[in-house]
Amino acid sequence: MTSQHEVFPSILDNDLYKFTMQYAVLQHYKDTQAVYQFTNRDKNLQLNAEAVAWLDKQIKDMSQLELSTKEYEYIRSFDYFDQSYADYLLKFRYRPEEQVKYTFDPETREFELEITGLWHETILYEVPLLALISEAYFKFVDRDWNYDGQYEKAMEKGIQLLKNGCKFSEFGTRRRRDFKTHDIVMRGLKDAATQCKKEDNKGALTGTSNVYLAMKYDTLAIGTVAHEFFMAISALEGVEHANRGTLERWYETYKGALGIALTDTFTTEVFLRDFDHDLAEKYVAVRQDSGDPVDFVQRIVQHYKSVNVDPKTKFIVFSDALNVERAIKLQKVAQEAGIGASFGIGTSLTNDFVKVSNPSQKSTPMNMVIKMKYCNGKRVIKLSDDVLKHSASDDLVEDLKKKLGI
């Protein structure tokens, strides 16, 4: 029987892309070592000692999480996973006391965290650890909020998106306020979809990135590949054509399923050099996760045409800091440009709160990431189309830019 965790109802309370990447790593890079590092991008929002003490217990208790029989059968139902992966996940256990190390300075409140171990064994930590850190902050630091209106707010956002023809997924696990909020939001979105379905809207709630909630709400689990896979391959096989290498390895693994190509690990400029006719045909979509999304639409449409691929047969997945208004705007931009669009909306759904003491003031979400830092001992870097999302010091970034000719 599955052990209980105070926060996580299941080991599947995680985003699908972590599992899809884990499966690919098991296929191709089983002996590869990885180190991940936590970065708090907003130093104004920091944990306190009480939050860290609670967090310590929650991290240690992750060792209790295991796949239930029902969840095992659910994973087996995914067409793109084979039996061996379901069996692997059934035996999988987190080992946080061995794999997760953190330090906390009570005076400066600086919190640092690293995850170390075999890539396939450490790859699942990122999302649940970020969710725990967020929950710790809002449990012990910023307590000036409550759940009032969360269901209604989520339902209204869903209705707006659907009535404006947006196809969207819920992507909010990593920076959610807490699991309870996440569950309320999914219920609101599902009810919005049910209501709008009766009105024959062109929009659609396509699913959620959270595997547990996808199972609970009988909706599609959504996810493909993240920056870390490109970053790792840059270390293992060379950075100059890491985009091509990653996309080819991903296609080899999934045979065209999960065919959404992430563009900005080393900037979109570098990505498009490798994204030739063959790859553009194999991948049904590209994902925009940094930079100017309007410029991105024009650039991608032009590129598809330049490699003799009809952009009308493709679509863009937008996933960078979206809210309802931005998604509706980008839906119109893509439509006018002659390419499809879908949206992965996260923090603005699962961490949209105001202060109880002053409802005109937002209760600000944390802005944090956990990124791969080393792969087989080699430093890996994410450049991004947004300088604020670079994952290394300026000198390392400049060195990589020189190698890539940008």
Side-chain angles (χ1 to χ4, degrees), residues 196-359:
C196 288
K197 193 173 183 180
K198 299 172 185 175
E199 301 170 12
D200 197 28
N201 287 284
K202 292 182 179 178
L205 172 62
T206 53
T208 172
S209 61
N210 187 286
V211 183
Y212 172 77
L213 291 175
M215 183 175 70
K216 177 176 178 177
Y217 287 99
D218 191 25
T219 191
L220 196 63
I222 301 288
T224 55
V225 65
H227 298 102
E228 76 173 88
F229 209 78
F230 292 81
M231 293 162 71
I233 288 185
S234 76
L236 298 171
E237 300 178 17
V239 70
E240 288 78 6
H241 294 286
N243 286 304
R244 174 180 293 279
T246 302
L247 295 178
E248 288 177 344
R249 191 56 49 88
W250 195 256
Y251 189 85
E252 178 187 342
T253 306
Y254 287 107
K255 311 296 188 292
L258 310 177
I260 298 170
L262 182 58
T263 60
D264 70 332
T265 309
F266 308 110
T267 74
T268 296
E269 175 189 343
V270 172
F271 173 87
L272 293 178
R273 294 176 195 166
D274 280 342
F275 199 55
D276 58 15
H277 175 85
D278 181 54
L279 286 172
E281 285 282 18
K282 285 178 176 177
Y283 281 79
V284 70
V286 294
R287 179 154 75 93
Q288 189 272 336
D289 198 50
S290 64
D292 187 323
V294 176
D295 289 348
F296 183 88
V297 172
Q298 307 305 325
R299 190 175 194 176
I300 289 298
V301 167
Q302 184 179 7
H303 182 78
Y304 274 129
K305 290 177 178 177
S306 75
V307 295
N308 295 315
V309 172
D310 184 357
K312 291 186 177 66
T313 65
K314 304 295 178 180
F315 66 98
I316 298 170
V317 179
F318 296 93
S319 60
D320 181 26
L322 291 179
N323 56 27
V324 170
E325 294 73 24
R326 289 189 77 190
I328 292 171
K329 175 189 173 183
L330 291 171
Q331 170 73 18
K332 293 174 182 174
V333 169
Q335 191 171 24
E336 289 170 3
I339 192 167
S342 73
F343 306 90
I345 307 178
T347 310
S348 69
L349 288 175
T350 60
N351 207 333
D352 183 9
F353 286 78
V354 295
K355 293 188 177 294
V356 172
S357 63
N358 182 5

Side-chain angles (χ1 to χ4, degrees), residues 5-21:
H5 188 280
E6 181 181 334
V7 172
F8 301 119
S10 165
I11 197 170
L12 297 182
D13 183 12
N14 200 336
D15 283 344
L16 178 65
Y17 78 91
K18 301 305 298 189
F19 297 103
T20 56
M21 289 193 297

Side-chain angles (χ1 to χ4, degrees), residues 2-14 18-19 54-67 91-100 102 113 115 121-133 176 370:
T2 306
S3 300
Q4 294 298 304
H5 188 280
E6 181 181 334
V7 172
F8 301 119
S10 165
I11 197 170
L12 297 182
D13 183 12
N14 200 336
K18 301 305 298 189
F19 297 103
W54 177 86
L55 181 63
D56 178 73
K57 182 179 187 306
Q58 305 312 314
I59 293 173
K60 287 175 179 173
D61 286 351
M62 288 177 69
S63 63
Q64 299 174 15
L65 293 168
E66 59 186 60
L67 208 64
K91 296 175 183 176
F92 179 88
R93 301 291 183 273
Y94 289 108
R95 302 197 306 278
E97 297 208 40
E98 171 190 337
Q99 297 163 328
V100 182
Y102 75 83
L113 179 145
I115 307 154
E121 292 182 344
T122 54
I123 196 168
L124 296 187
Y125 276 108
E126 174 195 357
V127 174
L129 285 180
L130 288 171
L132 282 176
I133 292 166
R176 68 191 184 192
I370 291 175

Side-chain angles (χ1 to χ4, degrees), residues 131-143:
L132 282 176
I133 292 166
S134 178
E135 187 156 343
Y137 178 81
F138 289 105
K139 195 176 183 74
F140 296 100
V141 183
D142 179 359
R143 298 174 172 175

Side-chain angles (χ1 to χ4, degrees), residues 183-200:
D183 193 49
I184 292 169
V185 166
M186 270 308 298
R187 182 162 54 88
L189 295 176
K190 281 288 288 185
D191 288 349
T194 300
Q195 178 176 315
C196 288
K197 193 173 183 180
K198 299 172 185 175
E199 301 170 12
D200 197 28

